Amino acid sequence: MSHPRRPGNRKNVKKGFQFTLMVVGASGLGRTTFINTLCDAEVVPKRECDEPEMAHIEEGIKIKPYTVELDEDGIKISLTVVDTPGFGDMIDNEYCFQEILGYLEQQYDDILSEESRIKRNRRFRDNRVHALLYFIAPTGHSLREIDIELMKRLSPRINIIPVVGKSDSLTPGELADFKKRVMEDITHHKIPIYNFPYDPEEDDDETVEENSELRSLLPFALIGCEEEVTVNGRKVRGRQYPWGVVEVDNPQHCDFVKLRYALLSSHFQDLKEITHDYLYENYRTEKLSRSTDSASDNDSGEEDEHSRLKEEQFKKEDGKLKEIEDRVQRELKEKQQELWTKEQQLMSLEANQIHVQ
Amino acid sequence: MSVDAESTQPILQSYVGFDSITSQIEKKLLKRGFQFNVMVVGQSGLGKSTLINTIFASHLIDSKGRTQPDEPTRQTVEIHSFTETVIERGVKLRLNIVDTPGYGDQVNNENCWEPIIKYIKDQHSSFLRKELTAMRDRFIQDTRIHCCLFFISPTGHSLKPIDIVVLKKLTEVVNVVPVIAKSDSLTIEERIAFKHRIKEEMAFHNIKLYPYESDEDDEQDAALNESIQDLIPFAVVGSEKTIVVDGKTVRGRQNRWGVINVENENHCEFIHLRNFLTRTHLQDLIETTSLIHYESFRSKQLLALKENGQQQQQQHH
């Protein structure tokens, strides 16, 4: 199950674009390090070790957006990364899902209310999240309950791309088995993730190949690293272990490079379009139908929805026209009043003059 | 005329031979065999089963992890007990491994530790009952947990709130040995910082870990215990697969960037844990369970029984 594919258009937007990415996963899976590795800068400050007295305190999830300006081969990207520290860290994590869902729907609500304004704000900032990277722990087994729950609950509102955090703790064999099991689990639970959709009949060979390759990498194996080490005289971003160095930018070691390219170059457009044309539209329809008549039959189908929406629009436009009419009337009256006053003044002036003569 | 044993120790004129009591005991014990009960506690996917199999160098238990998509996620904590006898140079060790699948795996993990604490106490309870029976067995089968390996997820940050709650409760009833699981995902620096944090947190919450200090310890024991306490929590890596390194066959993990040798002290602390559990403190773990944890349980129970009895008597009158 996946969202419908937009007809192939990999526009290279030269003038720059905006993209919002959310990152979700339990602490210690490399989420924050990934953000910094992606942006090649310390966007999210390293978590300062709090006092040992703080470890048992359950702080709950926080939603923290950070915006960076990136330059990808001359293309300017305004990237907003939304971090979610605290997810899955409490003893009871039921509340986490609602927090994230609430944030995503809030952005949709903002757009919705902006759209329905008579006078729209030209500089309104679209904060909708275009993709969610969900960090799975490298257990080597299959998905955990919290993984399934999160992806199920959030997939109607956002493109989810599952990734494996700290994937360097798995051997290549273990990683391949794990990826296979995770995808089987996702299919079994009918979770609609973003799986680089393509149409073998409509799309060209290149697109088909590219997308099927990316699809086969799911969930992306990630390693994060901000430090540089020297390997055979080269300076690379990597993690130094006693038994060797794991290189972040080496496609043999992890899928970081491929994911980065997909997010910031090849597939951001698709992700944005699906967010706007499909996910947001669904939300809008659901929300508006809920707010009109909640007792109405759910089976009334899309046609009734449509006509009801049209009706609303007419009412609004009617209202607008009436406003304008009223205003014109008022102004007319005012002007007439002015004229009458001036006439009176003129008449009295003339009367005076006659008197004088 | 009282004789102070310390100051006037008689000098034996000829060899008596009572020093052979140690081998007499050994013979008896070899016949009877030893019993060791170890419990593993930790989220699924932390390599618990693999570590047990690595420590005892044989495939004893299977992983209880969820591997099939149609397998449902566990909704409760289950207690799985598995017994196997292993023999080394004529010494029989009856190993009882208690696994706790489901712990920490749900969205809501409230009270997930209760079945575990209950199980530990039940073993004390059952032993006490057998002890108090008028016609009791000569050798009561010992199912009390001698060691609880607590698996910490290698986040590199700090202990989780659930870890702290559970460690507090566990250390009150059993010998707890914490380990940092899958430590091959931490660089050496990260490992050192992580351990330091964990130790600080455990000290802050007054969590009492095994080995405990004892007046009976001589200098050597005290020094050994101190070095163990320094190492805890053990940063371990487990593996049942073998790899050839420099011509030697060792247990390890092969990656694209190198080979992790489980038995190499520079790679991880598996060897230290293995020696600690089997070569230096095995007997002490069993004894401490009986002398400290069981005793404490026993006295609480008997006092409660006594009070109960007195109350009932008063009610009758």
Side-chain angles (χ1 to χ4, degrees):
Chain A
M1 248 176 83
S2 68
H3 300 311
R5 172 90 221 277
R6 300 289 99 204
N9 54 351
R10 288 151 62 218
K11 293 196 282 248
N12 230 338
V13 186
K14 295 253 186 270
K15 66 176 166 103
F17 61 93
Q18 194 275 329
F19 189 68
T20 306
L21 178 71
M22 181 180 259
V23 187
V24 179
S27 74
L29 287 180
R31 204 186 59 241
T32 311
T33 311
F34 167 77
I35 296 173
N36 294 344
T37 313
L38 182 73
C39 304
D40 210 358
E42 196 175 314
V43 171
V44 182
K46 268 205 187 42
R47 176 166 155 175
E48 275 308 310
C49 267
D50 336 293
E51 300 306 300
E53 301 93 75
M54 305 299 288
H56 67 289
I57 295 179
E58 296 181 275
E59 286 192 357
I61 188 173
K62 296 198 202 50
I63 313 263
K64 292 190 169 177
Y66 302 88
T67 305
V68 261
E69 303 298 320
L70 297 178
D71 189 315
E72 284 291 293
D73 293 330
I75 300 171
K76 299 227 180 298
I77 306 171
S78 174
L79 176 69
T80 302
V81 186
V82 185
D83 196 7
T84 54
F87 172 83
D89 287 343
M90 300 197 289
I91 297 180
D92 182 357
N93 293 302
E94 280 293 337
Y95 188 56
C96 290
F97 308 122
Q98 198 45 49
E99 277 291 296
I100 301 177
L101 198 58
Y103 179 84
L104 296 176
E105 290 182 347
Q106 180 65 51
Q107 312 315 314
Y108 284 159
D109 283 338
D110 287 350
I111 296 270
L112 196 57
S113 64
E114 183 59 29
E115 268 184 3
S116 354
R117 262 197 245 287
I118 299 167
K119 188 166 178 203
R120 297 200 218 172
N121 181 357
R122 206 177 281 270
R123 271 171 299 168
F124 177 80
R125 196 187 153 81
D126 182 356
N127 285 324
R128 287 176 296 186
V129 187
H130 304 118
L132 186 150
L133 290 186
Y134 181 67
F135 278 67
I136 302 170
T139 61
H141 298 319
S142 197
L143 292 178
R144 289 192 178 142
E145 190 188 7
I146 196 172
D147 303 331
I148 298 171
E149 272 309 299
L150 177 118
M151 290 198 281
K152 263 193 178 161
R153 292 204 213 186
L154 296 189
S155 51
R157 298 286 176 247
I158 188 165
N159 293 310
I160 295 186
I161 300 175
V163 302
V164 180
K166 295 199 171 174
S167 64
D168 54 345
S169 81
L170 295 168
T171 64
E174 291 166 348
L175 183 62
D177 283 343
F178 186 52
K179 283 188 178 188
K180 184 159 158 283
R181 277 197 277 264
V182 167
M183 292 313 287
E184 279 174 0
D185 230 346
I186 287 176
T187 311
H188 177 84
H189 285 91
K190 298 198 180 45
I191 302 171
I193 59 165
Y194 179 76
N195 64 352
F196 303 93
Y198 59 88
D199 190 334
E201 293 180 21
E202 259 192 47
D203 296 330
D204 57 73
D205 287 341
E206 212 190 304
T207 310
V208 171
E209 209 189 295
E210 187 187 47
N211 281 0
S212 51
E213 195 210 335
L214 285 170
R215 185 183 290 187
S216 72
L217 286 176
L218 283 167
F220 291 90
L222 293 184
I223 300 167
C225 178
E226 305 166 65
E227 274 108 38
E228 276 189 345
V229 291
T230 316
V231 177
N232 294 335
R234 294 178 295 136
K235 264 202 178 279
V236 292
R237 287 196 298 184
R239 293 170 60 70
Q240 174 95 54
Y241 291 111
W243 46 85
V245 177
V246 183
E247 299 170 41
V248 170
D249 299 300
N250 183 338
Q252 289 287 306
H253 290 186
C254 72
D255 304 326
F256 174 77
V257 173
K258 295 249 162 73
L259 177 66
R260 186 176 196 279
Y261 187 76
L263 286 177
L264 301 181
S265 296
S266 60
H267 284 75
F268 72 86
Q269 190 69 12
D270 199 28
L271 289 162
K272 288 179 77 163
E273 280 174 9
I274 292 179
T275 306
H276 181 72
D277 297 339
Y278 182 73
L279 297 166
Y280 169 65
E281 282 304 308
N282 278 352
Y283 176 74
R284 191 174 178 280
T285 309
E286 279 175 40
K287 177 127 197 232
L288 291 176
S289 63
R290 245 186 290 142
S291 63
T292 46
D293 195 358
S294 50
S296 75
D297 212 3
N298 274 339
D299 298 346
S300 54
E302 291 217 355
E303 303 229 281
D304 273 11
E305 285 292 319
H306 226 61
S307 58
R308 209 194 334 233
L309 288 172
K310 280 246 143 72
E311 232 185 87
E312 271 192 46
Q313 258 198 312
F314 281 143
K315 278 206 201 122
K316 273 199 214 124
E317 281 176 13
D318 236 351
K320 274 194 264 182
L321 277 167
K322 191 141 189 311
E323 260 187 63
I324 295 173
E325 238 184 84
D326 284 340
R327 195 164 14 115
V328 167
Q329 286 283 350
R330 248 182 302 137
E331 283 175 12
L332 246 167
K333 261 213 194 110
E334 278 176 31
K335 283 261 140 66
Q336 279 180 344
Q337 189 80 13
E338 263 188 61
L339 248 164
W340 191 82
T341 328
K342 286 245 149 74
E343 263 185 43
Q344 293 297 317
Q345 286 177 346
L346 209 65
M347 275 181 17
S348 64
L349 259 173
E350 282 177 358
N352 282 348
Q353 280 193 342
I354 295 172
H355 219 75
V356 165
Q357 274 178 5
Chain B
M1 191 187 75
S2 61
V3 177
D4 184 8
E6 295 297 330
S7 54
T8 58
Q9 200 174 45
I11 303 171
L12 304 176
Q13 306 294 335
S14 66
Y15 175 64
V16 177
F18 61 78
D19 63 347
S20 67
I21 190 170
T22 50
S23 42
Q24 293 170 36
I25 295 175
E26 207 183 305
K27 248 170 92 177
K28 274 258 168 73
L29 288 177
L30 278 178
K31 265 208 285 196
R32 209 178 300 153
F34 300 87
Q35 173 89 33
F36 186 57
N37 307 321
V38 59
M39 177 184 256
V40 287
V41 175
Q43 258 187 321
S44 76
L46 288 181
K48 300 189 293 293
S49 310
T50 308
L51 185 67
I52 291 285
N53 295 343
T54 318
I55 292 173
F56 293 102
S58 57
H59 187 86
L60 296 173
I61 54 175
D62 292 321
S63 164
K64 309 285 180 318
R66 196 176 154 265
T67 48
Q68 295 304 318
D70 46 11
E71 226 183 289
T73 54
R74 272 180 235 266
Q75 291 306 306
T76 52
V77 177
E78 293 161 25
I79 309 280
H80 290 200
S81 169
F82 179 80
T83 309
E84 190 66 79
T85 306
V86 286
I87 303 182
E88 213 174 33
R89 289 203 225 146
V91 178
K92 258 193 308 206
L93 181 67
R94 220 168 14 254
L95 257 182
N96 182 26
I97 300 158
V98 181
D99 200 351
T100 56
Y103 167 84
D105 284 339
Q106 287 110 45
V107 172
N108 181 357
N109 290 309
E110 206 78 57
N111 298 328
C112 71
W113 51 86
E114 281 179 1
I116 299 175
I117 303 289
K118 181 174 183 303
Y119 180 84
I120 295 173
K121 286 192 174 164
D122 281 350
Q123 308 318 304
H124 287 312
S125 178
S126 138
F127 194 89
L128 181 62
R129 250 181 291 121
K130 291 199 194 126
E131 236 191 11
L132 294 175
T133 317
M135 302 291 288
R136 63 184 185 175
D137 297 329
R138 187 194 296 190
F139 298 112
I140 302 171
Q141 203 193 17
D142 189 2
T143 59
R144 298 168 297 187
I145 303 293
H146 303 128
C147 175
C148 177
L149 288 174
F150 186 81
F151 285 69
I152 299 171
S153 183
T155 62
H157 297 320
S158 61
L159 289 175
K160 297 193 183 152
I162 191 175
D163 292 336
I164 295 183
V165 169
V166 178
L167 276 170
K168 273 189 182 166
K169 292 198 189 282
L170 280 176
T171 47
E172 283 169 14
V173 293
V174 71
N175 296 326
V176 177
V177 176
V179 300
I180 298 176
K182 295 194 171 180
S183 67
D184 53 342
S185 67
L186 296 167
T187 63
I188 300 291
E189 282 168 3
E190 290 167 346
R191 180 206 294 179
I192 293 173
F194 189 39
K195 274 202 194 186
H196 184 74
R197 257 321 284 278
I198 294 175
K199 283 203 235 290
E200 277 186 338
E201 287 164 2
M202 301 227 248
F204 176 74
H205 288 277
N206 255 321
I207 293 173
K208 294 248 172 312
L209 297 168
Y210 179 87
Y212 313 118
E213 278 165 9
S214 160
D215 301 327
E216 277 183 20
D217 288 343
D218 59 27
E219 255 188 59
Q220 225 183 8
D221 290 338
L224 178 61
N225 279 354
E226 234 190 85
S227 70
I228 297 289
Q229 272 156 0
D230 231 19
L231 267 181
I232 283 175
F234 295 93
V236 295
V237 174
S239 175
E240 294 186 64
K241 294 208 178 77
T242 53
I243 308 186
V244 180
V245 172
D246 293 334
K248 265 178 68 187
T249 307
V250 293
R251 282 162 308 168
R253 294 168 61 68
Q254 175 113 48
N255 269 318
R256 293 217 172 100
W257 47 87
V259 177
I260 303 165
N261 180 353
V262 166
E263 297 167 45
N264 181 336
E265 284 170 38
N266 294 324
H267 288 189
C268 73
E269 294 163 351
F270 168 77
I271 293 289
H272 296 287
L273 174 70
R274 194 271 313 272
N275 293 352
F276 169 67
L277 283 180
T278 61
R279 296 185 195 183
T280 57
H281 286 72
L282 180 58
Q283 197 276 339
D284 191 57
L285 281 163
I286 300 170
E287 204 177 69
T288 334
T289 306
S290 175
L291 294 180
I292 296 184
H293 296 293
Y294 174 68
E295 274 309 305
S296 147
F297 175 84
R298 185 179 180 276
S299 49
K300 279 196 207 127
Q301 282 292 88
L302 294 180
L303 273 171
L305 273 174
K306 197 162 132 204
E307 270 169 42
N308 228 1
Q310 284 176 342
Q311 273 181 4
Q312 283 187 352
Q313 274 191 349
Q314 285 178 350
Q315 275 173 4
H316 275 310
H317 294 151

